[in-house]
Amino acid sequence: MTFITDPLFYLIAVPAVLVVGIGKGGFAGGLGIVAVPLLALVTSPIQAAGIMLPILCVMDVTGVKAWLRRWDRSLMVRLLPPAMVGIIIGALTFRYVSESFLEILIGTIALVFSLRYWLGGRIKLNISLPDGPACWLWSGMSGYTSFVAHAGGPPLMVYLLPKKLDKSIFVGTVTIYFAGVNYFKLIPYGMLGQLSAENLGTSLLLAPAAIIGVKLGVWMHERVNAVLFNRLMYVFLFCAGLKLLWDGWSQVLG
């Protein structure tokens, strides 16, 4: 089995995977966006995404088991097709984008959504569209950003939150949606060589951290202030975004 051997990589990767697992296990999974920006500090964004996908798929199994009976089926029928289109667009354009472009894109996503979290309602996306086009816009964008950086949550939230779904139905729908999206991504990731022996071996080494993270999230759900935890994670996300933007623009301008 081949895998990344750099100790610095695991110094960053293990906490990143733990955070994502904790988010999925106890905080509605909203912290998945943290992983790739953090891993991209110690490896390429492309390899970071390839390593994280099998780990996310392992986490999704637990989530699907927990929420299989509580999700909106009619909404899912509308959400998944545009998400698949977004993933396909990401796959078709993958070979034409540079590492610096991905660093800038992922860094920008990290900064925008960390700032949106910190500023709360003061940043509003006032795009008024009928439900059908809005679904295609936001779910399609979710599929694309999920493909390039496993950061599909924020665009999806823009579409779903105004619907004011029942809490359990909301969490269940989001969980099932991303399980479907992540397992669909395995096809283009495999075709593009993202599931290499080194990436899969590294994912396997990090899998225990993923399982521990999910279990920790379940344990922490009633014991840790969710607002405080999320604030801390978004500080890390903001700092990672700044670093990625610096690296990306340094390559472009240098």
Side-chain angles (χ1 to χ4, degrees), residues 174-189:
V174 171
T175 300
I176 301 297
Y177 169 86
F178 279 112
V181 163
N182 286 333
Y183 276 89
F184 182 78
K185 287 190 300 190
L186 288 171
I187 301 170
Y189 266 56

Side-chain angles (χ1 to χ4, degrees), residues 49-59 186 189 195 199-200 203:
I51 290 168
M52 277 306 302
L53 181 56
I55 294 171
L56 292 173
C57 288
V58 169
M59 293 179 182
L186 288 171
Y189 266 56
L195 304 180
N199 285 357
L200 288 174
S203 299

Side-chain angles (χ1 to χ4, degrees), residues 89-168:
I89 291 172
L92 292 176
T93 58
F94 181 78
R95 295 193 185 280
Y96 301 100
V97 297
S98 65
E99 183 174 315
S100 59
F101 171 82
L102 285 177
E103 286 178 335
I104 292 170
L105 175 63
I106 296 169
T108 301
I109 290 171
L111 285 183
V112 167
F113 288 107
S114 56
L115 286 173
R116 187 165 182 265
Y117 172 83
W118 282 101
L119 297 176
R122 282 171 284 179
I123 296 181
K124 296 184 182 296
L125 296 171
N126 295 317
I127 301 177
S128 297
L129 292 172
D131 187 71
C135 180
W136 274 87
L137 172 65
W138 295 116
S139 187
M141 190 179 297
S142 172
Y144 180 80
T145 55
S146 180
F147 181 86
V148 299
H150 305 311
L156 184 67
M157 295 304 105
V158 173
Y159 176 70
L160 287 184
L161 288 176
K163 293 187 174 298
K164 302 185 185 302
L165 299 171
D166 170 80
K167 181 180 177 181
S168 294

Side-chain angles (χ1 to χ4, degrees), residues 27 220-231:
F27 299 91
M220 291 168 62
H221 181 71
E222 301 293 343
R223 296 174 173 85
V224 175
N225 185 297
V227 174
L228 180 62
F229 181 79
N230 278 295
R231 284 177 179 172

